Amino acid sequence: MIHLTVHLVDEVKKGGPVHYRWMYSVERLLGYFKSFVGNKSEAEGSIAEGYIVEEALTLYSHYFKEIESRLNRPKRVNDEPRKNEASNKSSMFPQQGKHVGGFVTESLTHLEKTQDHRYVLLNYVVVKPFIV
């Protein structure tokens, strides 16, 4: 392992910092283009055709706003705060996002409710001025 560091120093002297010769982004792009290949005997033509189709669809999706595309598709997870009256009433627990899938409602016992209430009263900064 120590021998490797000797060669790494030589490589930095020859090529400069690694981010100037890093090929990961190029390899990812080539892998993306490789997904366009449908006819293996005409791979270059398939890549060129797939790239042109991708660019055309991106261009058209800017002009046809009413048609769902990958540019205007809603996000899978929506973490934006809701803009309704209920969220404006309480800043302590703002409603954010939307439910994904099912959810389970659990009831608290009287002891758990008392403990939660006490925790909020003693630890929430907004409540501190009102505690005597």
Side-chain angles (χ1 to χ4, degrees):
M1 206 57 184
I2 295 172
H3 185 72
L4 175 66
T5 58
V6 172
H7 290 293
L8 287 178
V9 171
D10 291 337
E11 288 295 315
V12 170
K13 287 180 181 176
K14 291 177 187 173
V18 73
H19 61 273
Y20 290 125
R21 53 194 166 88
W22 194 43
M23 295 300 293
Y24 181 70
S25 57
V26 175
E27 293 292 334
R28 281 192 57 145
L29 184 63
L30 291 175
Y32 176 68
F33 288 152
K34 190 176 178 183
S35 70
F36 291 145
V37 175
N39 185 357
K40 291 188 179 184
S41 65
E42 301 287 336
E44 293 87 4
S46 296
I47 290 173
E49 185 178 324
Y51 182 73
I52 290 170
V53 167
E54 184 77 20
E55 287 295 315
L57 288 175
T58 303
L59 175 71
Y60 295 149
S61 66
H62 285 293
Y63 291 102
F64 300 116
K65 302 288 184 190
E66 65 275 358
I67 297 173
E68 183 178 314
S69 67
R70 66 184 165 96
L71 295 177
N72 64 1
R73 185 178 307 143
K75 298 176 187 174
R76 293 177 75 186
V77 178
N78 183 8
D79 290 335
E80 309 255 339
R82 294 186 196 166
K83 306 287 188 225
N84 60 16
E85 296 171 11
S87 65
N88 293 334
K89 291 179 183 176
S90 172
S91 64
M92 189 179 296
F93 303 110
Q95 296 288 323
Q96 289 189 334
K98 63 178 181 178
H99 296 292
V100 178
F103 61 92
V104 177
T105 305
E106 294 185 19
S107 300
L108 298 174
T109 64
H110 181 69
L111 176 64
E112 290 172 331
K113 286 181 188 178
T114 306
Q115 289 173 341
D116 291 343
H117 186 251
R118 186 171 294 134
Y119 180 82
V120 169
L121 287 176
L122 296 176
N123 295 309
Y124 196 62
V125 178
V126 176
V127 180
K128 292 232 186 243
F130 299 103
I131 298 177
V132 187

